[in-house]
């Protein structure tokens, strides 16, 4: 990619860098060992990864699983200073993939009879969604999880300092969930609840706040107890305000219109994203999580049907529908996949599988600079087409 093209991509991404991914049964214990591209038939996937590095992505990590077992591959570098390549056990920030975790917890609580996704936000968070045309009495939990509430995206307000190099000066700021919602409440909703679709992290901050009210426990405690520990996700962390990445991990890079050179943003206070995008995990853990979810290991059939009942989408690239914390995705060759993508400064992740999780791919870029390009989608296409 020529320098002028890189700058154009950077300028577009910097305007939305904090929006997450502004735009979405575990393998058996005796599963085949991780294989290399040379013996696994994943050469096309490796070629797409190499092409991404050739275009300017510092490092790419991928994990694929099919009937022959699991394969892991990498390209480029995890650390531009040392030249270390990405490793299959590396941890990274997963951005909006966090939303599938939140939705799973909410739907588990529904199955237990502790709430309904058709409850209003007002029932659980009285007075929180009010002002400037916002009314929590008219917004349901289902609308939060499906991004049909119309509530404003807090990350688009200047108060969060997400524009350009200003972000660097504020990346260690600590935010409380109610502060993030209060920022959104300064703005009128995009549309009346249930009449449109627009992706907003505010929806999932509110959903996680409902989890806390319904259970009496921090959201992170519930996610660990219900998902992380039962599935043995040993590399998955809900970091709170911890700014670093636990080892093993590479570095994360972004760029700004003022300085298009790579900027290391590995250390940040993730409370700005909270439950909407703060998850730290690994490719193997995401494989295990989405496999369990899609095979019915985390939700009973009724709740899994709710999660996979999508609102059709147009004009959102390869995303053709959004359910409750789960996106439907179509490859260039027409394969229908399910999962989510995610991005925060320094990270772009895609995790998608066939409906019954017979095949799955997790791919991670250690930069968000290519978020508005097809490079990550090219890796998905190469694996499934």
């Amino acid at each position: 990619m020529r320098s002028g093209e890189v700058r154009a991509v950077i300028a577009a991404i910097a305007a939305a860098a904090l929006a997450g991914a502004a735009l979405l049964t575990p393998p058996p214990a005796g599963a085949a060992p991780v294989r290399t591209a040379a013996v696994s038939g994943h050469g096309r996937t490796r070629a797409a990864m190499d092409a991404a590095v050739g275009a300017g992505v510092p490092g790419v990590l991928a994990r694929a699983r099919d009937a022959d077992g699991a394969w892991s591959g990498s390209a480029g570098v995890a650390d531009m200073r040392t030249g270390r390549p990405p490793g299959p056990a590396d941890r990274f920030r997963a951005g909006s993939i966090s939303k599938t975790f939140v939705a799973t917890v909410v739907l588990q609580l529904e199955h237990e009879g502790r709430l309904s996704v058709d409850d209003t936000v007002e029932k659980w968070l009285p007075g929180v969604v009010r002002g400037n045309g916002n009314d929590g009495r008219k917004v349901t939990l289902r609308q939060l999880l499906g991004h049909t509430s119309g509530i404003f995206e807090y990350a688009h307000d200047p108060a969060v300092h997400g524009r350009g190099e200003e972000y660097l000066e504020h990346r260690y700021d600590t935010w409380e969930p109610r502060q993030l919602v209060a920022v959104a409440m300064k703005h009128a909703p995009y549309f009346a609840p249930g009449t449109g679709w627009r992706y907003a992290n505010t929806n999932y901050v509110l959903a996680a706040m409902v989890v806390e009210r319904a259970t009496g426990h921090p959201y992170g405690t519930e996610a660990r107890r219900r998902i992380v520990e039962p599935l043995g996700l040993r590399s998955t962390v809900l970091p709170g305000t911890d700014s670093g990445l636990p080892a093993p991990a590479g570095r994360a890079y972004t760029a700004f219109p003022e300085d298009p050179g790579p900027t290391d943003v590995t250390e940040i206070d993730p409370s700005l994203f909270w439950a909407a995008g703060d998850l730290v995990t690994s490719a193997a853990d995401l494989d295990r999580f989405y496999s369990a979810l899609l095979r019915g290991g985390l939700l009973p059939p009724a709740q899994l049907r709710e999660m996979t009942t999508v609102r059709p989408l147009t004009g959102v690239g390869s995303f053709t529908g959004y359910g409750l914390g789960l996106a439907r995705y179509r490859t260039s060759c027409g394969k229908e996949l399910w999962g989510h993508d995610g991005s925060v400064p320094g990270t772009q992740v895609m995790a998608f599988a066939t409906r019954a999780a017979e095949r799955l791919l997790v791919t991670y870029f250690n930069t968000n600079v290519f978020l508005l390009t097809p490079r990550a989608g090219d890796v998905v296409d190469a694996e499934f087409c």
Side-chain angles (χ1 to χ4, degrees):
M1 182 177 286
R2 295 184 297 273
S3 62
E5 293 172 321
V6 171
R7 282 176 169 80
V9 170
I10 290 166
I13 290 169
L18 299 186
L23 319 228
L24 237 352
T25 309
V34 172
R35 299 163 291 147
T36 64
V39 298
S40 68
H42 294 271
R44 281 171 48 89
T45 304
R46 179 56 186 265
M49 296 162 63
D50 288 339
V53 171
V57 178
V60 182
L61 177 65
R63 177 185 173 90
R65 185 177 41 72
D66 55 25
D68 294 325
W71 165 81
S72 184
S74 69
V77 297
D79 187 325
M80 297 178 71
R81 183 179 60 84
T82 67
R84 177 178 82 79
D90 279 359
R91 289 163 157 169
F92 47 80
R93 302 188 195 279
S96 289
I97 285 174
S98 308
K99 293 177 174 65
T100 313
F101 281 67
V102 174
T104 299
V105 173
V106 172
L107 288 166
Q108 287 181 349
L109 290 171
E110 180 182 66
H111 171 65
E112 295 164 10
R114 301 173 73 173
L115 55 75
S116 167
V117 293
D118 294 314
D119 289 342
T120 65
V121 175
E122 182 73 10
K123 175 178 177 179
W124 293 101
L125 304 172
V128 172
V129 177
R130 290 292 178 88
N132 295 306
N134 295 286
D135 189 346
R137 296 169 297 185
K138 298 178 180 179
V139 178
T140 66
L141 306 189
R142 186 188 302 275
Q143 290 165 348
L144 295 180
L145 298 180
H147 295 295
T148 61
S149 72
I151 293 173
F152 185 80
E153 168 58 84
Y154 70 80
H156 291 164
D157 188 289
V160 305
H161 307 292
R163 294 294 184 262
E165 289 189 320
E166 179 186 2
Y167 173 67
L168 293 180
E169 301 172 16
H170 292 273
R171 60 173 165 159
Y172 296 113
D173 291 356
T174 295
W175 291 82
E176 294 293 334
R178 281 182 174 266
Q179 291 178 297
L180 300 175
V181 174
V183 168
M185 292 301 103
K186 296 190 300 182
H187 299 267
Y190 297 118
F191 47 78
T195 65
W197 186 89
R198 184 148 178 172
Y199 193 96
N201 287 301
T202 316
N203 290 316
Y204 274 76
V205 171
L206 286 163
M209 290 170 65
V210 170
V211 169
E212 295 192 336
R213 182 62 62 89
T215 64
H217 302 135
Y219 164 71
T221 298
E222 289 296 319
R224 283 189 291 271
R225 182 176 72 83
R226 294 169 175 273
I227 300 174
V228 176
E229 292 172 1
L231 293 184
L233 306 184
R234 296 181 179 85
S235 296
T236 298
V237 178
L238 291 98
T241 59
D242 290 345
S243 61
L245 287 176
R251 309 301 294 176
Y253 301 96
T254 195
F256 303 100
E258 306 97 315
D259 180 9
T263 299
D264 190 318
V265 287
T266 308
E267 283 80 30
I268 60 173
D269 186 323
S271 63
L272 177 58
F273 315 113
W274 195 46
D278 70 347
L279 191 76
V280 173
T281 188
S282 69
D285 275 10
L286 289 181
D287 177 351
R288 185 172 289 267
F289 168 67
Y290 278 107
S291 296
L293 178 66
L294 292 170
R295 292 173 179 171
L298 289 170
L299 294 173
Q303 276 67 42
L304 190 55
R305 279 195 302 272
E306 288 187 297
M307 178 176 266
T308 54
T309 299
V310 302
R311 180 186 180 94
L313 301 179
T314 58
V316 197
S318 298
F319 292 88
T320 64
Y322 198 92
L324 304 184
L326 199 66
R328 188 178 64 192
Y329 182 95
R330 190 174 300 277
T331 67
S332 62
C333 59
K335 297 279 180 67
E336 183 177 282
L337 305 176
W338 295 84
H340 216 289
D341 63 344
S343 180
V344 294
T347 292
Q348 183 180 356
V349 186
M350 299 185 79
F352 286 98
T354 53
R355 177 61 185 81
E358 305 98 336
R359 295 187 64 190
L360 177 144
L361 176 75
V362 178
T363 186
Y364 160 64
F365 289 4
N366 61 348
T367 182
N368 63 309
V369 170
F370 290 79
L371 180 61
L372 301 183
T373 78
R375 289 295 176 181
D378 288 347
V379 180
V380 177
D381 280 352
E383 177 63 28
F384 286 97
C385 292

